[in-house]
Amino acid sequence: SEQLARNNMLKQKGLQSETDNASAKEDGTKELEFAKSILQYISALQHVGQADVRASVVGYNTLLSGMARLSNELRPDMPQKAEQLLNEMIDLSEDSNTVPDVTSYNAVIKAWG
């Protein structure tokens, strides 16, 4: 929290160092996007008839929880992305094992936090 406040102050003054910028980019966003692409691939396989591959509520909840953790002043887009993913879950729930549960909704609420 103190580091975040310091980074915000330096950023506003245009004094944030390259190492601080690099660490801000290494907040887990890249890994989160990779995990989301894997889940989308699994969903695509499921839609083309690969019955042995299924997306699950656990995979979606993992992504939603990660988005909730990344939600802060530096990532104001995460709550919208979490809500969009929840809506994808709801849309897919008619065809698969991805019915959102209390963990899903709590993660989105935490993202808006």
Side-chain angles (χ1 to χ4, degrees):
S1 157
E2 184 177 298
Q3 180 68 29
L4 182 62
R6 179 183 165 273
N7 286 346
N8 283 338
M9 183 187 68
L10 291 174
K11 187 176 179 182
Q12 287 175 354
K13 293 182 178 182
L15 301 173
Q16 191 171 22
S17 70
E18 285 300 310
T19 57
D20 288 341
N21 285 332
S23 67
K25 293 177 185 174
E26 296 175 1
D27 63 357
T29 302
K30 183 178 175 183
E31 291 81 2
L32 189 67
E33 291 300 320
F34 183 67
K36 186 175 180 183
S37 70
I38 291 171
L39 195 57
Q40 289 172 337
Y41 179 69
I42 290 170
S43 294
L45 286 175
Q46 190 174 343
H47 284 293
V48 296
Q50 295 289 333
D52 56 338
V53 179
R54 292 181 180 238
S56 72
V57 70
V58 174
Y60 279 98
N61 285 347
T62 302
L63 282 174
L64 289 169
S65 295
M67 290 175 173
R69 285 189 190 106
L70 286 175
S71 294
N72 59 38
E73 295 85 19
L74 298 176
R75 293 302 312 263
D77 61 325
M78 276 299 142
Q80 291 92 357
K81 287 184 176 189
E83 194 168 333
Q84 180 182 18
L85 187 61
L86 180 67
N87 287 328
E88 288 176 25
M89 279 181 76
I90 293 167
D91 292 342
L92 290 172
S93 67
E94 297 173 5
D95 303 331
S96 67
N97 186 20
T98 60
V99 177
D101 59 11
V102 68
T103 305
S104 311
Y105 290 100
N106 282 340
V108 174
I109 291 168
K110 182 179 177 186
W112 282 105

